[in-house]
């Protein structure tokens, strides 16, 4: 049987998470413009410089992503600052 109260809690948490991710996207797009050069950390903590290719967005309905010219998409949290 379907448990409505459990489902509601899950949906509520998902909506809160989505708002947090949208806030990250909005902040990123306010701070960085397409064409800006940025400093980014890779999976191993190494820093590299790339260029913002598109405005950031939420991928899969749950993850704030930055789009970079050479490396593709990266978690917004990995973008450190302008280069």
């Amino acid at each position: 049987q379907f448990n409505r109260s459990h489902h509601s809690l899950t949906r509520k948490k998902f909506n809160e998470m989505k708002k947090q991710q949208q806030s990250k996207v909005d902040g990123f797009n306010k701070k960085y413009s397409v064409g800006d050069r940025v400093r980014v950390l890779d999976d191993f903590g190494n820093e590299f410089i790339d260029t913002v290719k598109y405005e950031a967005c939420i991928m899969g309905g749950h993850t704030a992503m930055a789009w970079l010219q050479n490396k593709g998409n990266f978690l917004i949290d990995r973008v450190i600052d302008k280069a």
Side-chain angles (χ1 to χ4, degrees):
Q1 184 176 7
F2 184 72
N3 182 340
R4 289 193 186 278
S5 71
H6 174 72
H7 181 71
S8 296
L9 288 174
T10 302
R11 181 173 300 281
K12 182 178 178 183
K13 286 182 182 180
F14 177 79
N15 287 336
E16 288 172 8
M17 182 188 67
K18 193 170 180 179
K19 284 181 185 178
Q20 290 174 345
Q21 296 300 305
Q22 186 61 54
S23 179
K24 288 182 182 183
V25 167
D26 294 343
F28 182 94
N29 289 334
K30 185 176 180 181
K31 184 174 182 177
Y32 305 107
S33 299
V34 172
D36 281 351
R37 292 177 47 79
V38 291
R39 296 173 31 231
V40 185
L41 290 178
D42 69 13
D43 293 342
F44 304 102
N46 301 309
E47 187 177 312
F48 65 91
I49 295 175
D50 208 331
T51 304
V52 176
K53 185 173 183 178
Y54 304 115
E55 286 190 344
C57 66
I58 297 178
M59 283 186 68
H62 53 74
T63 306
M65 301 299 288
W67 291 91
L68 306 176
Q69 190 73 36
N70 297 311
K71 297 283 187 172
N73 58 334
F74 258 78
L75 292 171
I76 280 180
D77 296 337
R78 298 283 182 89
V79 179
I80 303 168
D81 206 349
K82 290 185 179 180

